[in-house]
């Protein structure tokens, strides 16, 4: 992407890096799919999705029978389509089953930069605030507001570790009205101010034994 090779192409990347990638390369059409093939650009989320991409290519070139035979040799239960999402829209908690709750969480994820009031969120999905709060308490043991805040802070941490954005820019991108409020809330969640955590996260990402120049 930095070399310009993805301009005008669809691509995918691991969900953990998607937020930082889309902020760094806003003109690239990045998805949360398992793998994406767009003309001569093949991109993959990594992990077992790499195997699904390989099996797809084998099937396209030699037929589905050979792809299935290879999958069986590799103890791969099923060949997944590239268009499948890496993460379920309902989030990682398997206890979330209600359609209203799934819709609320999906809407939260779409509006992290401009969070909705809980009353407005409930109206958008066709539920009452009281029923939504009851669903969240039963399924994830917290209020909708607290869950929403957790999503925003998680996105903020991803941006701090994966991009060159400043704390002020990250604060705005995650819907906080002031950097001061953001810093206080972030520290309450992660135990460190965002600037200190950013330095720690970036240092942790360096190769072992690498010492940054001063």
């Amino acid at each position: 992407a930095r070399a310009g090779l993805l301009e005008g192409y669809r691509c995918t990347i691991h969900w953990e890096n998607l937020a930082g990638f889309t902020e760094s390369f806003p003109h690239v059409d990045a998805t949360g799919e398992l793998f994406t093939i767009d003309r001569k650009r093949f991109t993959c989320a990594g992990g077992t999705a790499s195997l699904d991409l390989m099996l797809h290519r084998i099937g396209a070139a030699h037929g589905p029978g050979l792809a299935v035979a290879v999958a069986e040799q590799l103890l791969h239960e099923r060949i997944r389509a590239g268009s499948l999402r890496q993460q379920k829209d309902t989030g990682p908690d398997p206890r979330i089953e209600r359609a209203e709750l799934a819709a609320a969480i999906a809407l939260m994820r779409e509006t992290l930069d401009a969070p909705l009031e809980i009353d407005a969120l409930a109206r958008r999905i066709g539920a009452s605030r009281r029923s939504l709060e009851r669903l969240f308490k039963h399924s994830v043991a917290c209020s909708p507001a607290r869950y929403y805040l957790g999503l925003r802070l998680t996105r903020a941490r991803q941006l701090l570790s994966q991009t060159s954005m400043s704390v002020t820019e990250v604060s705005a991108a995650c819907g906080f009205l002031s950097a001061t409020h953001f810093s206080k809330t972030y520290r309450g969640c992660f135990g460190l101010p965002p600037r200190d955590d950013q330095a720690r996260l970036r240092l942790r990402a360096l190769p072992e034994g690498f010492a940054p120049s001063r």
Side-chain angles (χ1 to χ4, degrees):
R2 193 168 285 119
L5 297 176
L6 291 177
E7 291 290 334
Y9 289 87
R10 292 179 72 252
C11 69
T12 192
I13 191 168
H14 192 277
W15 64 266
E16 193 173 32
N17 303 107
L18 184 59
F21 185 91
T22 53
E23 288 287 344
S24 299
F25 305 103
H27 301 301
V28 175
D29 184 10
T31 75
E33 298 173 348
L34 289 180
F35 63 86
T36 301
I37 299 175
D38 188 355
R39 290 158 285 170
K40 294 186 177 181
R41 301 291 186 269
F42 292 37
T43 54
C44 180
T48 56
S50 309
L51 181 55
D52 291 298
L53 172 58
M54 180 194 73
L55 292 169
H56 172 82
R57 293 298 300 153
I58 291 173
H62 304 288
L66 182 59
V68 169
V70 173
E72 288 176 348
Q73 285 288 331
L74 296 172
L75 305 179
H76 197 56
E77 288 187 359
R78 67 186 181 97
I79 303 173
R80 298 175 296 176
S83 58
L84 288 179
R85 304 290 299 180
Q86 297 172 40
Q87 288 181 294
K88 294 180 181 179
D89 290 338
T90 54
D93 194 324
R95 294 170 298 172
I96 301 174
E97 297 176 353
R98 293 291 297 273
E100 297 95 334
L101 196 60
I105 292 173
L107 187 55
M108 286 177 179
R109 286 179 171 159
E110 291 171 8
T111 57
L112 296 180
D113 59 337
L116 301 168
E117 295 289 338
I118 301 303
D119 285 332
L121 185 86
R123 284 195 302 271
R124 289 273 294 271
I125 66 167
S128 69
R129 176 174 183 142
R130 185 174 180 181
S131 67
L132 190 63
E133 289 180 336
R134 193 162 52 241
L135 281 171
F136 268 84
K137 184 176 181 179
H138 173 73
S139 300
V140 292
C142 72
S143 68
R146 187 170 183 82
Y147 192 93
Y148 208 170
L149 179 61
L151 290 177
R152 292 162 60 205
L153 289 171
T154 298
R155 171 64 59 84
R157 202 176 202 199
Q158 290 172 343
L159 295 179
L160 287 170
S161 65
Q162 298 169 16
T163 74
S164 58
M165 295 171 69
S166 68
V167 170
T168 301
E169 290 170 332
V170 170
S171 170
C174 296
F176 289 90
L177 296 179
S178 73
T180 302
H181 177 229
F182 167 62
S183 295
K184 182 179 180 180
T185 308
Y186 189 98
R187 182 169 188 165
C189 180
F190 297 114
L192 285 172
R195 197 177 307 279
D196 293 350
D197 199 29
Q198 182 180 50
R200 186 184 66 85
L201 289 168
R202 290 181 177 177
L203 186 63
R204 205 170 69 183
L206 292 173
E208 187 175 350
F210 180 85
S213 57
R214 297 185 180 276

